[in-house]
Amino acid sequence: QRQLVESGGGSVQAGGSLRLSCPTSEYTGSNLCFGWFRQAPGKDRKAVAAIRIGDHGLFYSDSVKGRFTVSLDNAKATLYLQMDSLSPEDTAMYYCAARLDCSRFSPLSYPGTYNDWGQGTQVTVSS
């Protein structure tokens, strides 16, 4: 099991932006997908964005669609989550995750469908 490492979290005022990063150099193959999840205190961990390598598909939860952008820089082997127009409701621990076989479940499916995880990076948005 490989360990992912997120970075880029922090504190920001409502309306601000942050960009999260997650190196992915240990992962190769066309059947992969990478996801960004978040978990607020007392709530379940849920997917907010994902990218499917095989068809370059991008996926977003309704709560972040139009505000967050997921991308994969192949040259830098790094997964990003650009977060704009942040609101206090976005406050959570954010996790990067990798799934080795993306053929069965939606990339936004529940956390158990992902194989590897990072430790998380905290995002706090103040009003």
Side-chain angles (χ1 to χ4, degrees), residues 60-81:
Y60 299 95
S61 67
D62 289 342
S63 61
V64 307
K65 197 173 296 182
R67 300 187 299 121
F68 290 12
T69 304
V70 61
S71 62
L72 180 65
D73 186 325
N74 288 314
K76 296 181 179 180
T78 301
L79 180 73
Y80 297 102
L81 183 67

mmCIF file of all heavy atoms in Angstrom, residues 60-81:
data_model
loop_
_atom_site.group_PDB
_atom_site.id
_atom_site.type_symbol
_atom_site.label_atom_id
_atom_site.label_comp_id
_atom_site.label_asym_id
_atom_site.label_seq_id
_atom_site.Cartn_x
_atom_site.Cartn_y
_atom_site.Cartn_z
ATOM 1 N N TYR A 60 -17.155 15.884 -10.516
ATOM 2 C CA TYR A 60 -17.306 16.797 -9.379
ATOM 3 C C TYR A 60 -18.615 16.529 -8.648
ATOM 4 O O TYR A 60 -19.630 16.219 -9.279
ATOM 5 C CB TYR A 60 -17.303 18.253 -9.861
ATOM 6 C CG TYR A 60 -16.047 18.673 -10.564
ATOM 7 C CD1 TYR A 60 -15.940 18.639 -11.942
ATOM 8 C CD2 TYR A 60 -14.942 19.099 -9.832
ATOM 9 C CE1 TYR A 60 -14.775 19.005 -12.591
ATOM 10 C CE2 TYR A 60 -13.766 19.480 -10.465
ATOM 11 C CZ TYR A 60 -13.694 19.415 -11.841
ATOM 12 O OH TYR A 60 -12.530 19.796 -12.473
ATOM 13 N N SER A 61 -18.569 16.680 -7.347
ATOM 14 C CA SER A 61 -19.818 16.629 -6.592
ATOM 15 C C SER A 61 -20.590 17.914 -6.844
ATOM 16 O O SER A 61 -20.005 18.947 -7.220
ATOM 17 C CB SER A 61 -19.531 16.473 -5.103
ATOM 18 O OG SER A 61 -18.915 17.642 -4.599
ATOM 19 N N ASP A 62 -21.874 17.878 -6.629
ATOM 20 C CA ASP A 62 -22.700 19.062 -6.855
ATOM 21 C C ASP A 62 -22.277 20.216 -5.965
ATOM 22 O O ASP A 62 -22.411 21.379 -6.338
ATOM 23 C CB ASP A 62 -24.167 18.727 -6.610
ATOM 24 C CG ASP A 62 -24.749 17.833 -7.684
ATOM 25 O OD1 ASP A 62 -24.142 17.737 -8.779
ATOM 26 O OD2 ASP A 62 -25.791 17.213 -7.435
ATOM 27 N N SER A 63 -21.768 19.904 -4.801
ATOM 28 C CA SER A 63 -21.421 20.960 -3.842
ATOM 29 C C SER A 63 -20.225 21.801 -4.271
ATOM 30 O O SER A 63 -20.039 22.914 -3.765
ATOM 31 C CB SER A 63 -21.142 20.340 -2.468
ATOM 32 O OG SER A 63 -20.058 19.437 -2.541
ATOM 33 N N VAL A 64 -19.400 21.290 -5.187
ATOM 34 C CA VAL A 64 -18.203 22.037 -5.579
ATOM 35 C C VAL A 64 -18.164 22.346 -7.068
ATOM 36 O O VAL A 64 -17.269 23.077 -7.520
ATOM 37 C CB VAL A 64 -16.912 21.293 -5.180
ATOM 38 C CG1 VAL A 64 -16.937 20.923 -3.701
ATOM 39 C CG2 VAL A 64 -16.699 20.055 -6.040
ATOM 40 N N LYS A 65 -19.114 21.818 -7.800
ATOM 41 C CA LYS A 65 -19.109 22.006 -9.255
ATOM 42 C C LYS A 65 -19.133 23.495 -9.599
ATOM 43 O O LYS A 65 -19.912 24.261 -9.040
ATOM 44 C CB LYS A 65 -20.309 21.299 -9.864
ATOM 45 C CG LYS A 65 -20.233 21.071 -11.354
ATOM 46 C CD LYS A 65 -21.398 20.213 -11.826
ATOM 47 C CE LYS A 65 -21.359 18.833 -11.225
ATOM 48 N NZ LYS A 65 -22.459 17.967 -11.709
ATOM 49 N N GLY A 66 -18.240 23.899 -10.485
ATOM 50 C CA GLY A 66 -18.153 25.298 -10.883
ATOM 51 C C GLY A 66 -17.201 26.117 -10.031
ATOM 52 O O GLY A 66 -16.865 27.243 -10.387
ATOM 53 N N ARG A 67 -16.766 25.560 -8.905
ATOM 54 C CA ARG A 67 -15.843 26.284 -8.005
ATOM 55 C C ARG A 67 -14.497 25.579 -7.876
ATOM 56 O O ARG A 67 -13.478 26.242 -7.688
ATOM 57 C CB ARG A 67 -16.468 26.427 -6.625
ATOM 58 C CG ARG A 67 -17.777 27.170 -6.597
ATOM 59 C CD ARG A 67 -18.254 27.418 -5.178
ATOM 60 N NE ARG A 67 -18.475 26.181 -4.434
ATOM 61 C CZ ARG A 67 -17.844 25.874 -3.314
ATOM 62 N NH1 ARG A 67 -16.935 26.699 -2.803
ATOM 63 N NH2 ARG A 67 -18.115 24.735 -2.685
ATOM 64 N N PHE A 68 -14.498 24.270 -7.926
ATOM 65 C CA PHE A 68 -13.283 23.480 -7.783
ATOM 66 C C PHE A 68 -12.886 22.905 -9.134
ATOM 67 O O PHE A 68 -13.754 22.560 -9.950
ATOM 68 C CB PHE A 68 -13.487 22.333 -6.804
ATOM 69 C CG PHE A 68 -13.633 22.727 -5.358
ATOM 70 C CD1 PHE A 68 -13.833 24.047 -4.974
ATOM 71 C CD2 PHE A 68 -13.559 21.759 -4.366
ATOM 72 C CE1 PHE A 68 -13.968 24.406 -3.652
ATOM 73 C CE2 PHE A 68 -13.691 22.094 -3.023
ATOM 74 C CZ PHE A 68 -13.906 23.412 -2.672
ATOM 75 N N THR A 69 -11.574 22.768 -9.342
ATOM 76 C CA THR A 69 -11.064 22.175 -10.567
ATOM 77 C C THR A 69 -9.999 21.146 -10.228
ATOM 78 O O THR A 69 -9.009 21.476 -9.564
ATOM 79 C CB THR A 69 -10.456 23.247 -11.484
ATOM 80 O OG1 THR A 69 -11.428 24.262 -11.757
ATOM 81 C CG2 THR A 69 -9.994 22.625 -12.789
ATOM 82 N N VAL A 70 -10.205 19.918 -10.677
ATOM 83 C CA VAL A 70 -9.221 18.861 -10.477
ATOM 84 C C VAL A 70 -8.394 18.731 -11.746
ATOM 85 O O VAL A 70 -8.921 18.850 -12.860
ATOM 86 C CB VAL A 70 -9.898 17.529 -10.106
ATOM 87 C CG1 VAL A 70 -10.825 17.040 -11.203
ATOM 88 C CG2 VAL A 70 -8.859 16.475 -9.745
ATOM 89 N N SER A 71 -7.093 18.510 -11.569
ATOM 90 C CA SER A 71 -6.223 18.351 -12.732
ATOM 91 C C SER A 71 -5.038 17.473 -12.371
ATOM 92 O O SER A 71 -4.710 17.309 -11.191
ATOM 93 C CB SER A 71 -5.745 19.708 -13.240
ATOM 94 O OG SER A 71 -4.978 20.374 -12.266
ATOM 95 N N LEU A 72 -4.424 16.924 -13.412
ATOM 96 C CA LEU A 72 -3.239 16.093 -13.238
ATOM 97 C C LEU A 72 -2.166 16.607 -14.173
ATOM 98 O O LEU A 72 -2.359 16.590 -15.396
ATOM 99 C CB LEU A 72 -3.558 14.628 -13.529
ATOM 100 C CG LEU A 72 -2.401 13.652 -13.379
ATOM 101 C CD1 LEU A 72 -1.938 13.587 -11.931
ATOM 102 C CD2 LEU A 72 -2.805 12.263 -13.873
ATOM 103 N N ASP A 73 -1.071 17.065 -13.605
ATOM 104 C CA ASP A 73 0.073 17.513 -14.392
ATOM 105 C C ASP A 73 0.981 16.305 -14.599
ATOM 106 O O ASP A 73 1.677 15.877 -13.680
ATOM 107 C CB ASP A 73 0.812 18.640 -13.666
ATOM 108 C CG ASP A 73 1.925 19.247 -14.497
ATOM 109 O OD1 ASP A 73 2.590 18.509 -15.264
ATOM 110 O OD2 ASP A 73 2.161 20.458 -14.370
ATOM 111 N N ASN A 74 0.957 15.762 -15.809
ATOM 112 C CA ASN A 74 1.739 14.539 -16.060
ATOM 113 C C ASN A 74 3.236 14.795 -15.979
ATOM 114 O O ASN A 74 3.998 13.931 -15.530
ATOM 115 C CB ASN A 74 1.378 13.974 -17.428
ATOM 116 C CG ASN A 74 -0.007 13.366 -17.434
ATOM 117 O OD1 ASN A 74 -0.373 12.615 -16.534
ATOM 118 N ND2 ASN A 74 -0.795 13.687 -18.445
ATOM 119 N N ALA A 75 3.685 15.970 -16.410
ATOM 120 C CA ALA A 75 5.115 16.284 -16.379
ATOM 121 C C ALA A 75 5.631 16.329 -14.945
ATOM 122 O O ALA A 75 6.752 15.901 -14.659
ATOM 123 C CB ALA A 75 5.370 17.605 -17.080
ATOM 124 N N LYS A 76 4.817 16.855 -14.044
ATOM 125 C CA LYS A 76 5.213 16.934 -12.642
ATOM 126 C C LYS A 76 4.695 15.759 -11.821
ATOM 127 O O LYS A 76 4.991 15.657 -10.633
ATOM 128 C CB LYS A 76 4.706 18.240 -12.035
ATOM 129 C CG LYS A 76 5.313 19.484 -12.671
ATOM 130 C CD LYS A 76 4.781 20.746 -11.998
ATOM 131 C CE LYS A 76 5.404 21.990 -12.614
ATOM 132 N NZ LYS A 76 4.913 23.231 -11.979
ATOM 133 N N ALA A 77 3.896 14.906 -12.461
ATOM 134 C CA ALA A 77 3.295 13.769 -11.754
ATOM 135 C C ALA A 77 2.640 14.222 -10.465
ATOM 136 O O ALA A 77 2.903 13.702 -9.370
ATOM 137 C CB ALA A 77 4.341 12.696 -11.472
ATOM 138 N N THR A 78 1.784 15.220 -10.604
ATOM 139 C CA THR A 78 1.129 15.804 -9.436
ATOM 140 C C THR A 78 -0.342 16.043 -9.718
ATOM 141 O O THR A 78 -0.707 16.569 -10.780
ATOM 142 C CB THR A 78 1.794 17.123 -9.033
ATOM 143 O OG1 THR A 78 3.175 16.890 -8.746
ATOM 144 C CG2 THR A 78 1.144 17.717 -7.800
ATOM 145 N N LEU A 79 -1.145 15.652 -8.765
ATOM 146 C CA LEU A 79 -2.581 15.891 -8.802
ATOM 147 C C LEU A 79 -2.869 17.191 -8.057
ATOM 148 O O LEU A 79 -2.282 17.446 -7.009
ATOM 149 C CB LEU A 79 -3.306 14.733 -8.116
ATOM 150 C CG LEU A 79 -4.819 14.779 -8.031
ATOM 151 C CD1 LEU A 79 -5.430 14.517 -9.399
ATOM 152 C CD2 LEU A 79 -5.322 13.773 -7.003
ATOM 153 N N TYR A 80 -3.766 17.985 -8.620
ATOM 154 C CA TYR A 80 -4.116 19.267 -8.010
ATOM 155 C C TYR A 80 -5.620 19.355 -7.768
ATOM 156 O O TYR A 80 -6.413 18.728 -8.476
ATOM 157 C CB TYR A 80 -3.707 20.433 -8.904
ATOM 158 C CG TYR A 80 -2.227 20.554 -9.136
ATOM 159 C CD1 TYR A 80 -1.651 20.116 -10.334
ATOM 160 C CD2 TYR A 80 -1.400 21.115 -8.171
ATOM 161 C CE1 TYR A 80 -0.288 20.227 -10.550
ATOM 162 C CE2 TYR A 80 -0.036 21.234 -8.387
ATOM 163 C CZ TYR A 80 0.510 20.787 -9.577
ATOM 164 O OH TYR A 80 1.857 20.905 -9.788
ATOM 165 N N LEU A 81 -5.960 20.177 -6.809
ATOM 166 C CA LEU A 81 -7.350 20.590 -6.627
ATOM 167 C C LEU A 81 -7.337 22.100 -6.416
ATOM 168 O O LEU A 81 -6.923 22.573 -5.360
ATOM 169 C CB LEU A 81 -8.010 19.889 -5.448
ATOM 170 C CG LEU A 81 -9.501 20.228 -5.260
ATOM 171 C CD1 LEU A 81 -10.321 19.680 -6.431
ATOM 172 C CD2 LEU A 81 -10.037 19.681 -3.938
#
